[in-house]
Amino acid sequence: MDCNCSKIDNKNKISDVMLEKTKKHPCYSVDAHNKFARMHLPVAPNCNISCNYCNRKFDCVNESRPGVTSEILTPKDAKIKFDIVKEKIGELSVVGIAGPGDALENWDNTKKSIELIRVENPDIVFCLSTNGLMLPRYAQEIIQLGVTHVTVTVNCLDNKIGAKIYKYVNYKGKQYALEVGAKLLLENQLKGIKLLTSQGIIVKINIVMLEGINDHHIPDVVKKMKELGVFIINIMPLIPAQGSVFENHPQTNMKELTKMRDICELDVQQMRHCKQCRADAIGMLCEDRSQEFSNKIMEEEVLKIDEKQNVKKLKVAVTSKNGRLVDLHYGHAKEFMIYEINGSNFSYIETRAAEKYCLGIEECDEEEARRDAAVNSIADCDVVLTLRIGDNAEKKLLLRGIRSVIYWYTIEQGLKLVQKEMAN
Ligand code: CLF
Ligand code: SF4
């Protein structure tokens, strides 16, 4: 089947750049679905609404099939995983954030993850999926961030129907139940979608088809979405999730679903190749490779990379008066700030008391026991980063395998110097 991208009668103006990107998006372009791969980053664990078809033990049902919840990644780990996946899957064209909760309810993680990847990968298409509650709040930031494709789940336009689908909505610190919550959610969805489409963002609408609840109403939803200029509609079957309010609700009949898509196709093009994939799905839509990149395997991969780069973790004892600068003589230190350097990263671990042994004379000749106490307190360290140090103390440290690095300025810059010196 050909990609329909260029034939779409959207009211909003979609630029050629956006259409080109869309041709590489396996969900938005049927022609791309077996040529390009997508990768989901499971960085969004929290959700702000309660859908009756959802069991929080599973990934967000608005975009996924109920199953085992994906493991959460930090933005930094998501970037590492992306780098590894990109190296192994040449067809990778899209990075999406689709849960396991709501991408916008976890905005800081969503934003950070995309920022980290985008810097080095300007050609990647960024995509996210949301229930739409926070869209008016974040639409502008989404656009600025470089996200070009957004999926919003809109199940109805009617508050009474909404009350049968949503138990509550948490918004700005308050909880709104049933019809009131549904009204708020719907208003924000419509406002947010308009904000996106009017600025050329490509929007896909997911609708979960619920027998006897919203099925008769879906054509109206699609007509409204057409008016708002959405690009494509994905009517999804309900797969009742165990433990959810709808666990005994009938599964959507696939014949009825096809009929509904045929009816709605007259207004907006329909997605018919959705795989309801996991929040950590990786690969072509028809071939999920997420198991190849499970967290355990990723840890091993990272270890291999570290070994390859001969990266060794280093512990550094820093002498500082104010906790920001390396501005204290080793012999005057009453305590040491301990940092760990791991590859190009470093982190503060703790502050340790050290018995002060020098009374102010640079070539300190205080009694051995007090010097030994200071060395003992940092015996597990590889380096001392200090403003100055006497020869005797330096030798004593060296005998224990601890190198001294003399430096004056910020701790951060000093640690970078240690990294550099120890790498040579
Ligand atoms: Fe992921 Fe969703 Fe983006 Fe695709 S999935 S955030 S639009 S990159 Fe695709 Fe998976 Fe169906 Fe979603 S097959 S569930 S439609
Ligand atoms: Fe569950 Fe997704 Fe609904 Fe949130 S938006 S309650 S995660 S189905």
Side-chain angles (χ1 to χ4, degrees):
M1 207 190 296
D2 286 338
C3 165
N4 283 330
C5 305
S6 54
K7 302 173 197 159
I8 306 306
D9 178 26
N10 290 82
K11 280 198 167 176
N12 59 314
K13 285 195 179 64
I14 296 174
S15 69
D16 290 346
V17 176
M18 289 298 216
L19 288 175
E20 278 313 306
K21 281 181 181 275
T22 302
K23 283 181 186 164
K24 290 200 292 182
H25 196 310
C27 304
Y28 286 69
S29 158
V30 77
D31 202 31
H33 90 278
N34 53 8
K35 293 193 186 117
F36 293 98
R38 53 76 180 97
M39 171 184 189
H40 281 169
L41 307 175
V43 295
N46 304 322
C47 189
N48 42 18
I49 68 173
S50 179
C51 304
N52 285 336
Y53 43 68
C54 180
N55 174 348
R56 292 292 174 79
K57 286 188 190 143
F58 302 150
D59 285 351
C60 174
V61 181
N62 282 343
E63 182 82 345
S64 324
R65 174 183 295 270
V68 180
T69 309
S70 303
E71 290 172 273
I72 308 302
L73 292 179
T74 63
K76 230 160 104 184
D77 288 343
K79 164 70 167 66
I80 293 171
K81 188 166 182 173
F82 168 83
D83 286 340
I84 293 168
V85 170
K86 186 183 147 200
E87 208 182 291
K88 300 207 168 173
I89 303 184
E91 305 85 4
L92 185 66
S93 63
V94 174
V95 163
I97 297 181
D102 184 75
L104 299 186
E105 180 60 9
N106 301 266
W107 178 243
D108 288 347
N109 281 357
T110 296
K111 186 175 171 202
K112 188 82 202 155
S113 306
I114 292 176
E115 277 172 351
L116 287 174
I117 294 172
R118 205 187 59 175
V119 176
E120 295 164 13
N121 301 277
D123 293 338
I124 288 286
V125 176
F126 291 101
C127 181
L128 59 81
S129 162
T130 174
N131 58 44
L133 182 66
M134 297 309 289
L135 258 188
R137 163 73 182 80
Y138 291 118
Q140 232 37 59
E141 287 187 56
I142 288 171
I143 297 168
Q144 277 158 15
L145 187 60
V147 173
T148 50
H149 293 70
V150 176
T151 296
V152 190
T153 301
V154 182
N155 290 317
C156 61
L157 303 173
D158 181 310
N159 305 332
K160 285 199 170 61
I161 298 176
K164 292 181 189 166
I165 303 173
Y166 308 108
K167 205 187 312 170
Y168 61 80
V169 161
N170 286 331
Y171 188 62
K172 294 187 178 172
K174 273 182 81 177
Q175 190 166 99
Y176 302 86
L178 304 171
E179 268 189 62
V180 185
K183 181 170 183 283
L184 178 59
L185 177 65
L186 176 63
E187 281 169 2
N188 282 8
Q189 288 172 338
L190 298 182
K191 203 167 154 195
I193 292 166
K194 187 75 200 156
L195 278 168
L196 294 175
T197 56
S198 62
Q199 296 179 76
I201 298 299
I202 314 270
V203 174
K204 169 162 75 67
I205 301 299
N206 283 0
I207 304 172
V208 182
M209 185 167 166
L210 303 159
E211 197 183 304
I213 295 180
N214 72 344
D215 47 358
H216 62 286
H217 176 62
I218 288 177
D220 294 338
V221 178
V222 173
K223 281 189 197 310
K224 180 68 187 174
M225 295 304 119
K226 179 185 183 182
E227 206 182 298
L228 292 176
V230 309
F231 187 81
I232 192 167
I233 302 275
N234 178 20
I235 306 173
M236 306 163 81
L238 171 77
I239 303 169
Q242 242 184 10
S244 70
V245 177
F246 287 168
E247 76 174 328
N248 296 317
H249 201 85
Q251 185 160 346
T252 311
N253 178 302
M254 291 312 282
K255 273 194 185 153
E256 295 300 320
L257 183 79
T258 305
K259 261 200 248 167
M260 185 58 76
R261 284 174 176 160
D262 292 343
I263 294 167
C264 296
E265 180 96 62
L266 299 174
D267 284 310
V268 183
Q269 66 170 326
Q270 301 290 303
M271 178 178 189
R272 295 173 191 257
H273 59 286
C274 175
K275 299 293 180 214
Q276 289 180 272
C277 37
R278 295 168 52 100
D280 60 359
I282 294 172
M284 305 271 188
L285 297 193
C286 49
E287 183 208 10
D288 183 30
R289 294 175 60 180
S290 54
Q291 289 315 306
E292 272 176 57
F293 302 96
S294 70
N295 285 1
K296 195 169 169 294
I297 292 174
M298 295 307 293
E299 276 167 25
E300 288 164 12
E301 286 287 333
V302 170
L303 272 179
K304 271 191 233 159
I305 291 173
D306 282 355
E307 274 166 23
K308 237 193 258 167
Q309 294 173 349
N310 208 10
V311 172
K312 183 177 169 274
K313 281 187 187 172
L314 295 172
K315 240 184 217 175
V316 184
V318 181
T319 61
S320 173
K321 279 184 205 156
N322 66 1
R324 280 193 319 107
L325 300 174
V326 185
D327 55 357
L328 186 63
H329 189 300
Y330 172 79
H332 298 172
K334 289 181 183 161
E335 57 187 25
F336 295 104
M337 294 176 73
I338 310 297
Y339 283 82
E340 184 177 85
I341 298 183
N342 187 1
S344 58
N345 303 314
F346 45 78
S347 51
Y348 167 76
I349 301 175
E350 61 181 345
T351 296
R352 284 183 200 164
E355 194 171 341
K356 192 181 169 202
Y357 65 89
C358 173
L359 296 177
I361 310 154
E362 190 177 318
E363 289 301 320
C364 177
D365 58 356
E366 288 296 308
E367 80 261 17
E368 289 295 306
R370 297 178 91 189
R371 290 186 174 197
D372 285 345
V375 179
N376 285 341
S377 69
I378 54 170
D380 59 332
C381 293
D382 305 281
V383 179
V384 164
L385 176 63
T386 185
L387 177 68
R388 293 175 75 185
I389 186 167
D391 283 347
N392 288 344
E394 189 173 1
K395 275 181 205 149
K396 212 174 232 319
L397 286 171
L398 258 185
L399 283 174
R400 304 280 285 265
I402 306 169
R403 271 180 62 176
S404 307
V405 173
I406 311 295
Y407 183 73
W408 181 85
Y409 197 42
T410 63
I411 294 177
E412 195 181 333
Q413 293 300 328
L415 290 169
K416 282 184 185 162
L417 175 71
V418 172
Q419 270 169 346
K420 216 165 127 194
E421 295 218 342
M422 297 302 281
N424 295 330

